[in-house]
Amino acid sequence: MFSRPAVRVARHLARSYASAVSPNALVILEHRQGVLDSACLSALTAATQLGGKVTGLVISGPDSAAAALDSAKKLKGLDNLLHSTSELYSAPVVETVSPLLSKILSESSYTHVVSATSSFAKSLLPRVAAQLDVPAVSDITSLEHDAASNATTFTRPIYAGNAIATVKAPSSVSIKFFTVRSTSFAAALSDSAASVNVETIDPVHVSDVPTEHISTSLTKSDRPELGTASRIVSGGRPLKNAETFEATLYPLADVLGAAVGASRAAVDAGYADNSLQVGQTGKVVAPELYMAFGISGAIQHLAGMKDSKLIVAVNKDPDAPIFQVADIGLVGDLYEVIPELTEKLKK
């Protein structure tokens, strides 16, 4: 009398097993003149955590194609690599790349589309996701994929990092689009012995493109890049002006081999370039050492640096919010502390 229910259970398990879909992720590997962006390496790491196949996508102009491909082929975690080359992609804009991505997704069985949280990706992924009538999840800090239910659960910060939202994309979302906060995932490593299958994809011609790339202006510096630096020295409004900002912070940064950052107040006051802004509306960083001088610790600034491994804060106000997240805090005058610290480090 137990045989019939047993058969039903067996059939149910068989159907569940058959319906389970192994993750098949497509990772957009952004680069600048053939040099892969460090953030996309973190996106690759996130994609590998899904537990399935991972395919990289490199889009480039003819001049940078060889260098970009050579770098991408050496990445650990990639199973396949797609590449499309065209003059259209020499300085890619969303209007020219989105038709290509849509074509790739329509001709393949990808379950996830992954990218770093870059300005380009924040325009590209929601655009293509909307065309496919599926949602996109941005700036995730962790993920977990359930192969049995084909559902992926993400966490992402909200309210300037004061709360963490848990978002579940169920099996009904056929393709799950998400961008990755690079500071939350380790960068994928390279392996010169790695071998991946490289497939060339024909570009999609787009006529009457409504957006035109005019120029790219980059801030050049001999110091480490702010987003990937292991040490950062940041300053706030008390540094008075651009000359004082540079004269005070730069010697310490040079001794430490650190990047220089700034609060929004310092940037708005013209003390530092926009590219140096740390915070919710600037760059999100998580270095080994973050030193904050004259930064009170506004919520939007804390959202961009509170994941740093060691936070050192110097401020004249003992009640400054920065001390609530600092591992080492000193109530003092930065104009006295920084020169003394710089001299001691030189010795």
Side-chain angles (χ1 to χ4, degrees):
M1 61 179 175
F2 295 107
S3 60
R4 188 168 298 175
V7 170
R8 288 199 192 101
V9 171
R11 288 175 179 171
H12 173 72
L13 290 174
R15 285 197 299 270
S16 298
Y17 179 79
S19 62
V21 179
S22 178
N24 188 9
L26 179 67
V27 183
I28 299 173
L29 301 175
E30 294 185 54
H31 64 94
R32 190 179 299 279
Q33 298 302 316
V35 179
L36 293 177
D37 289 349
S38 59
C40 77
L41 304 182
S42 298
L44 174 55
T45 297
T48 60
Q49 292 183 7
L50 292 168
K53 291 184 178 180
V54 179
T55 299
L57 173 60
V58 175
I59 301 169
S60 65
D63 295 338
S64 58
L69 270 179
D70 186 59
S71 298
K73 285 189 293 186
K74 298 176 183 177
L75 293 176
K76 287 185 177 181
L78 281 181
D79 298 297
N80 300 289
L81 184 61
L82 304 181
H83 179 244
S84 186
T85 303
S86 170
E87 286 291 351
L88 272 175
Y89 308 141
S90 293
V93 293
V94 173
E95 288 80 0
T96 60
V97 175
S98 57
L100 174 66
L101 181 56
S102 296
K103 174 189 174 184
I104 292 172
L105 296 177
S106 67
E107 297 175 350
S108 304
S109 56
Y110 293 108
T111 59
H112 298 77
V113 178
V114 191
S115 178
T117 305
S118 64
S119 298
F120 182 73
K122 286 189 288 187
S123 296
L124 176 63
L125 265 62
R127 183 187 184 95
V128 177
Q131 292 171 348
L132 299 176
D133 197 25
V134 295
V137 183
S138 62
D139 207 24
I140 68 136
T141 54
S142 71
L143 63 86
E144 182 178 352
H145 183 74
D146 182 3
S149 63
N150 192 28
T152 308
T153 303
F154 308 97
T155 60
R156 58 184 300 270
I158 58 176
Y159 301 124
N162 287 306
I164 301 296
T166 300
V167 182
K168 183 177 182 179
S171 58
S172 57
V173 179
S174 56
I175 303 178
K176 300 164 179 63
F177 290 76
F178 64 94
T179 61
V180 172
R181 176 172 288 197
S182 60
T183 57
S184 298
F185 296 87
L189 302 176
S190 295
D191 182 1
S192 57
S195 177
V196 298
N197 177 47
V198 180
E199 180 182 351
T200 300
I201 305 294
D202 292 331
V204 177
H205 178 70
V206 180
S207 58
D208 300 324
V209 181
T211 303
E212 178 185 1
H213 177 269
I214 303 299
S215 65
T216 300
S217 178
L218 300 176
T219 301
K220 296 182 180 180
S221 174
D222 295 330
R223 293 182 179 82
E225 201 276 323
L226 181 60
T228 58
S230 62
R231 300 171 183 175
I232 297 175
V233 175
S234 284
R237 190 192 295 273
L239 285 160
K240 300 178 181 179
N241 53 52
E243 293 74 20
T244 305
F245 186 94
E246 180 175 341
T248 306
L249 289 186
Y250 282 24
L252 176 59
D254 290 339
V255 172
L256 290 171
V260 174
S263 67
R264 179 173 178 174
V267 171
D268 289 347
Y271 302 173
D273 187 79
N274 288 331
S275 63
L276 301 184
Q277 183 176 327
V278 174
Q280 184 183 17
T281 54
K283 292 185 178 179
V284 177
V285 298
E288 296 294 325
L289 171 65
Y290 187 87
M291 305 186 76
F293 295 96
I295 296 177
S296 62
I299 290 176
Q300 76 87 26
H301 185 80
L302 297 182
M305 47 66 71
K306 66 181 182 181
D307 290 331
S308 303
K309 307 302 183 294
L310 178 66
I311 300 174
V312 178
V314 176
N315 201 293
K316 292 178 71 174
D317 181 5
D319 297 321
I322 190 73
F323 289 127
Q324 296 178 12
V325 299
D327 298 290
I328 300 174
L330 174 62
V331 178
D333 188 339
L334 66 88
Y335 293 107
E336 297 176 359
V337 174
I338 293 179
E340 184 177 353
L341 180 60
T342 303
E343 289 303 315
K344 288 186 179 296
L345 287 171
K346 286 181 179 180
K347 297 178 183 179

